Amino acid sequence: LIHQSTKLSRDDVISRLLALSTLSIAAGKIFLGPVIDSLGGIKSLQITLLALVMCLGSIGIAQTCPTLSSLALYIIIVDFGFSSCWAACVKTIREYTEEKRWSKEIGRLAMAARLGNAISFAFFAWLLQWASSRTPANVVTSGVDTSWRWVYRASGAIQLIPLAMLTHFGRKGRDDLAIQKEVKSNKAEQTTTRSSPMVSLSILRRQASKPEFWLHLLSRTITMVLVSF
């Protein structure tokens, strides 16, 4: 993003984008929970991954440098959908595995998420450095360096791998009669405890009355601020 605003400094632009990102994640966690309960884990993940591919790919292949408003819109869409990934993964585990394996599979999921974060940070840092090294010096000094687009291109392409795996294993799982019975029993539970955005907001309201909620929120806020530097 080439900073061309005369009213906002670069730091102001970055802080506003981070604020939009955080608000989008918070909104997604509240409003996408009922959607995941309705659609199911695998279908929710597939929709989210398709949205990620389109948004990341649009930034990566665009011929012109994105404006602040367009980049902010992409960030809102990506983070809004990304916020549902953990809930959708847990929902998928509950649908396609036996109850006695839930704790073990969720633990493996959490470990894989942290490992994936570490690998992706290292890989995309290397990719950005590689792309920058191949960019002519006169392009960099002119302020139109677009080597960062390789990160968005690669990130969008990588989403196709879990999308294909979800499609394959999801279809295979649905053919298993035992898993079908498990899915039906889970759906029967959903009919008795149907969720909605209002239910999510009421839970949030109850939790907000506890001091632990605000301590955890303060801890997460401090962590996000430190990470942003």
Side-chain angles (χ1 to χ4, degrees), residues 39 79 96-97 107 113:
L39 295 179
D79 287 333
Y96 287 87
T97 60

Side-chain angles (χ1 to χ4, degrees), residues 136-199:
N138 61 333
V139 174
V140 177
T141 55
S142 64
V144 292
D145 179 20
T146 58
S147 57
W148 51 267
R149 288 188 187 277
W150 282 99
V151 175
Y152 286 93
R153 294 167 186 167
S155 182
I158 288 174
Q159 309 306 319
L160 297 175
I161 298 176
L163 182 60
M165 294 177 66
L166 284 170
T167 302
H168 172 71
F169 289 107
R171 186 184 300 113
K172 181 179 178 181
R174 284 192 296 269
D175 293 337
D176 193 327
L177 181 61
I179 292 179
Q180 280 285 6
K181 292 181 180 179
E182 185 71 21
V183 172
K184 290 180 180 179
S185 65
N186 288 336
K187 290 184 176 179
E189 293 179 3
Q190 293 174 12
T191 58
T192 58
T193 58
R194 190 174 299 276
S195 60
S196 69
M198 295 305 298
V199 174

